[in-house]
Amino acid sequence: MEIAIISGKGGTGKSIISAAFATLIENVVLADCDVDAANLYLIFNPVHEEEKIYIGGHKAVIDYDKCSMCGLCISYCRFEAITTVNNKITISETSCDGCFLCTRICPENAINMIQNDKSRMFSGSFRNGKMVYGRLAPGEENSGKLVNMVREKAKQVAKENGIKMIILDGPPGIGCPVISTITGVDKVVIVTEPSVSGLHDMKRTVEIVKKFNLNPWIIINKFNLNNEMSRQIENWCKKHKISVAGYLPFTSQIVNAMVQQMSIIEYNKNSEISKTLGTIYNTIIHE
Amino acid sequence: MMKIAIASGKGGTGKTFVATNIFYSLCKNNRSAMLVDCDAEAPNAIAFFDVNLVNSDDVSQRVPVISSNACTYCGKCHDWCNYNAIFILPPVKVIQVIEDLCHGCGACVVACQYDAITEKLVSLGKVNSYLLNGVVSLIEARMNIGVMSPVSVIKAALKKADTMADFIILDSPPGTSCPFIQTALAADFVILVTEPTPFSFSDLKQSVETLKKINKPFGVIVNKAGLGNADIYFYLEKEKIQLLHEILFDIEIAELYSTGKIVAETKQYLEIEFYNMIKKIMRQYGNSDNQR
Ligand code: SF4
Ligand code: SF4
Ligand code: SF4
Ligand code: SF4
């Protein structure tokens, strides 16, 4: 079974909950799909068994020995990446989308494409099973594809090791990486916070999940920071026939566990919050 | 005019809290300020102000349309498309554009020698302008669900914001990839908001790396100080990174924020601290004229 844990906005506690789920059962494959800011390895310190280069796109580079300054490339580039700076044709690395058009039209063959090869995918073992995660190098795009690579690897590892449960810690947002994360999973959990922006982001996220014909579970994290807002979220869910899997309180224990590089379950198995997480997990798995 | 971006490697560290409260503090001290919400995937800033929408501009992208009458199924457009957005099966005369994958680069149009490709516009999102106390002072980038990248919408919002205001505050998208870089590039100075926890620390290091790469001056605000551990402070000292401000962890702040209130309105010390911080940044880095 594949469970994806997502949230419209970052910092709602997605990774903390993924870490808790991953330590509630015996043996799991944990995949960190938040390739922009992979974090779970900080808690579980996995031993790398495999490292793969991920090509996150291309960048155009000019060979000035060949360039005749005709300016053709400037007029063709739709990403405003090519300009003249001090009488020299210049390509902005941050604006180039890597579409190859300039290199194809340049009459002097003066433009080469180089690969972005700083991004990586890692897979290995941690104390409770296997772990797969991606790290997108700063400025490299196409994180949706890296997410797909992470998920494929996670499935393969699960099969090879006879592991039944795959937990996906998803990226924030509503774009391509989230869609890559939830396509074809069995269950989706949306983590939200009781705040005006929390509710707003949750609604946008529910909308995406519904497009995939999935019925998400909601977890309201830090519910006690604003009981009134928690009730509003609950009512909204009721109205839209979405089930709330449970409520987690705000507690500094969560931060303490993280500092000790532990999931909350490992840090204090008998705490209220650990028990609640156990109940939530069972609800999600069995219903 | 000075543009200041408020950013953080990871969401939820209090970026929007800092951005909206700095904006409020500037207005309160009679400085002309504008807030641009560049977090196009989850724009939230308007929830904190009593604003009226005055303008909504569509941001769109060109996408090819292939005429099956004119197409010879030569496959050149498919070869030239670096994003696999054109699907072609010549034996059965099938050619199709997968719009979700298209970046609108125009390569296929240039490739086709049979004039079989024209283009249409597809909406990516909106740039909304809002009135606050009679002036347009809030601009919001809002991406449509499922769009490949928010960058075009962010760029359009940044363009819209070029006005005469003394301060333009950019609420940056989270992460360290293109959306963040596009926002940071437009700023004169970047404030990174972080928390003293291992997750935030790891994200902070990544943001710092990125900002150094693009040569952008920056400083750090530690939010929820008192939680977690001290690793972040050692790092800032070692790397000689300016600690601009610390906001002590206070459960009341979290409660006020969650109700959609500007915290500095209730806790006036925040207004004074934020205003002084901005004045100091202005003295150190101000009045550069970033043309982007
Ligand atoms: S098209 Fe080629 S030759 Fe012409 S300006 Fe661009 S790089 Fe130089
Ligand atoms: S590869 Fe595409 S985006 Fe990059 S500079 Fe060339 S034309 Fe512009
Ligand atoms: S516009 Fe560019 S990305 Fe879109 S189909 Fe044509 S070649 Fe591919
Ligand atoms: S390049 Fe033109 S003619 Fe050739 S397959 Fe593409 S659309 Fe058809």
Side-chain angles (χ1 to χ4, degrees):
Chain A
M1 183 187 282
E2 245 185 319
I3 305 179
I5 296 150
I6 60 170
S7 73
K9 146 181 184 298
T12 52
K14 211 166 23 70
S15 300
I16 299 285
I17 291 171
S18 306
F21 283 4
T23 43
L24 268 166
I25 38 170
E26 282 301 305
N27 203 3
V28 292
V29 175
L30 180 58
D32 195 338
C33 297
D34 190 357
V35 296
D36 235 5
N39 271 331
L40 278 175
Y41 73 96
L42 293 168
I43 291 189
F44 294 125
N45 227 339
V47 180
H48 293 159
E49 282 150 11
E50 196 185 328
E51 182 177 335
K52 256 200 178 134
I53 292 175
Y54 167 75
I55 305 296
H58 296 81
K59 296 280 174 216
V61 184
I62 300 213
D63 178 349
Y64 289 105
D65 291 339
K66 292 186 182 164
C67 174
S68 68
M69 297 275 307
C70 72
L72 208 60
C73 53
I74 299 182
S75 55
Y76 275 92
C77 177
R78 288 206 180 160
F79 300 92
E80 295 172 23
I82 315 181
T83 45
T84 10
V85 179
N86 300 329
N87 279 323
K88 215 170 154 192
I89 304 285
T90 307
I91 300 185
S92 148
E93 203 187 308
T94 47
S95 297
C96 174
D97 199 68
C99 71
F100 279 66
L101 183 52
C102 54
T103 147
R104 291 185 158 123
I105 53 92
C106 173
E108 311 293 341
N109 271 321
I111 306 180
N112 297 311
M113 301 302 295
I114 50 170
Q115 287 182 338
N116 286 341
D117 56 2
K118 301 259 160 27
S119 299
R120 293 287 180 277
M121 185 197 74
F122 300 101
S123 76
S125 301
F126 79 113
R127 54 185 177 268
N128 210 26
K130 297 284 173 186
M131 221 175 132
V132 185
Y133 67 100
R135 291 207 86 175
L136 200 69
E140 289 190 17
E141 251 325 320
N142 238 334
S143 42
K145 272 197 204 156
L146 181 52
V147 170
N148 282 336
M149 193 164 153
V150 168
R151 280 192 61 191
E152 281 310 311
K153 184 76 198 177
K155 273 189 206 159
Q156 186 200 330
V157 169
K159 212 170 163 191
E160 283 168 9
N161 295 279
I163 300 174
K164 295 210 171 59
M165 181 60 72
I166 301 176
I167 291 170
L168 308 172
D169 185 14
I174 53 162
C176 191
V178 177
I179 288 172
S180 300
T181 306
I182 62 173
T183 310
V185 299
D186 303 292
K187 312 255 176 177
V188 175
V189 180
I190 301 175
V191 184
T192 187
E193 280 180 344
S195 67
V196 176
S197 51
L199 173 59
H200 174 260
D201 293 332
M202 185 191 77
K203 286 183 192 168
R204 286 194 109 191
T205 315
V206 167
E207 218 179 298
I208 308 173
V209 178
K210 290 259 171 183
K211 282 194 175 163
F212 287 83
N213 281 323
L214 286 160
N215 223 344
W217 288 95
I218 305 289
I219 296 180
I220 305 179
N221 194 16
K222 309 179 197 168
F223 78 92
N224 50 342
L225 282 184
N226 188 339
N227 288 313
E228 163 57 28
M229 204 66 217
S230 292
R231 219 162 300 130
Q232 268 189 48
I233 294 177
E234 187 187 75
N235 288 338
W236 188 90
C237 289
K238 218 176 258 165
K239 213 174 125 201
H240 292 84
K241 299 203 166 54
I242 292 160
S243 318
V244 177
Y247 302 79
L248 298 172
F250 173 83
T251 149
S252 51
Q253 280 194 58
I254 293 276
V255 181
N256 299 340
M258 198 202 294
V259 170
Q260 305 290 321
Q261 296 192 299
M262 285 180 191
S263 81
I264 182 72
I265 307 292
E266 294 168 314
Y267 182 75
N268 187 351
K269 203 176 164 90
N270 297 317
S271 61
E272 245 353 272
I273 188 162
S274 292
K275 286 183 194 153
T276 312
L277 276 161
T279 318
I280 291 175
Y281 181 77
N282 284 326
T283 311
I284 292 168
I285 297 301
H286 297 299
E287 276 182 33
Chain B
M1 185 256 287
M2 188 177 193
K3 284 188 199 159
I4 301 174
I6 320 294
S8 77
K10 159 178 179 293
T13 53
K15 190 173 50 63
T16 301
F17 159 67
V18 169
T20 50
N21 279 276
I22 285 177
F23 172 67
Y24 166 84
S25 304
L26 287 167
C27 295
K28 192 83 196 185
N29 286 281
N30 297 317
R31 303 301 297 255
S32 69
M34 185 172 225
L35 180 62
V36 187
D37 193 344
C38 298
D39 190 359
E41 287 192 58
N44 284 325
I46 55 160
F48 297 90
F49 302 97
D50 192 10
V51 290
N52 288 314
L53 181 68
V54 282
N55 200 4
S56 185
D57 300 313
D58 203 54
V59 182
S60 55
Q61 178 202 304
R62 282 179 277 184
V63 166
V65 181
I66 301 176
S67 146
S68 48
N69 292 328
C71 178
T72 64
Y73 303 92
C74 71
K76 192 172 178 194
C77 55
H78 169 261
D79 293 343
W80 276 36
C81 178
N82 193 40
Y83 308 101
N84 283 321
I86 295 177
F87 175 79
I88 181 166
L89 280 175
V92 285
K93 291 197 173 0
V94 166
I95 187 162
Q96 214 163 11
V97 178
I98 306 156
E99 292 186 7
D100 285 347
L101 296 180
C102 175
H103 287 219
C105 68
C108 53
V109 185
V110 182
C112 183
Q113 276 143 10
Y114 303 92
D115 284 331
I117 306 185
T118 50
E119 291 180 302
K120 64 172 181 184
L121 289 176
V122 170
S123 170
L124 299 175
K126 287 202 152 53
V127 173
N128 296 324
S129 310
Y130 295 91
L131 272 184
L132 178 63
N133 303 326
V135 245
V136 175
S137 38
L138 217 151
I139 307 278
E140 173 190 74
R142 184 174 282 264
M143 179 184 100
N144 293 342
I145 285 172
V147 165
M148 177 84 71
S149 158
V151 168
S152 311
V153 188
I154 293 171
K155 278 188 175 169
L158 289 169
K159 272 196 188 133
K160 191 92 187 172
D162 253 307
T163 63
M164 300 315 290
D166 291 341
F167 291 95
I168 296 181
I169 305 298
L170 312 173
D171 189 358
S172 159
T176 47
S177 64
C178 291
F180 160 71
I181 292 176
Q182 288 304 332
T183 311
L185 277 173
D188 301 303
F189 186 84
V190 178
I191 296 176
L192 292 173
V193 185
T194 188
E195 290 170 11
T197 63
F199 281 6
S200 277
F201 182 28
S202 146
D203 296 330
L204 175 74
K205 282 189 279 192
Q206 219 171 318
S207 315
V208 166
E209 218 181 288
T210 310
L211 290 177
K212 281 188 174 160
K213 237 178 159 175
I214 61 169
N215 271 323
K216 212 30 94 176
F218 63 94
V220 169
I221 291 184
V222 175
N223 190 18
K224 302 184 194 157
L227 286 180
N229 58 9
D231 288 356
I232 257 174
Y233 299 98
F234 296 134
Y235 168 78
L236 293 181
E237 211 174 286
K238 197 172 125 250
E239 297 288 318
K240 300 200 171 51
I241 295 167
Q242 191 175 3
L243 176 61
L244 298 165
H245 192 56
E246 271 185 283
I247 304 163
L248 285 179
F249 175 71
D250 175 354
I251 198 129
E252 266 178 60
I253 292 184
E255 283 169 5
L256 279 168
Y257 182 75
S258 74
T259 55
K261 286 208 175 76
I262 289 293
V263 180
E265 217 170 333
T266 315
K267 297 190 177 278
Q268 276 171 17
Y269 71 90
L270 273 178
E271 178 208 313
I272 298 160
E273 287 173 0
F274 278 143
Y275 185 55
N276 288 337
M277 180 187 72
I278 294 292
K279 276 200 298 197
K280 200 172 142 203
I281 294 172
M282 180 77 178
R283 271 200 304 277
Q284 284 182 348
Y285 303 93
N287 283 326
S288 81
D289 39 358
N290 195 325
Q291 294 302 329
R292 285 180 68 99

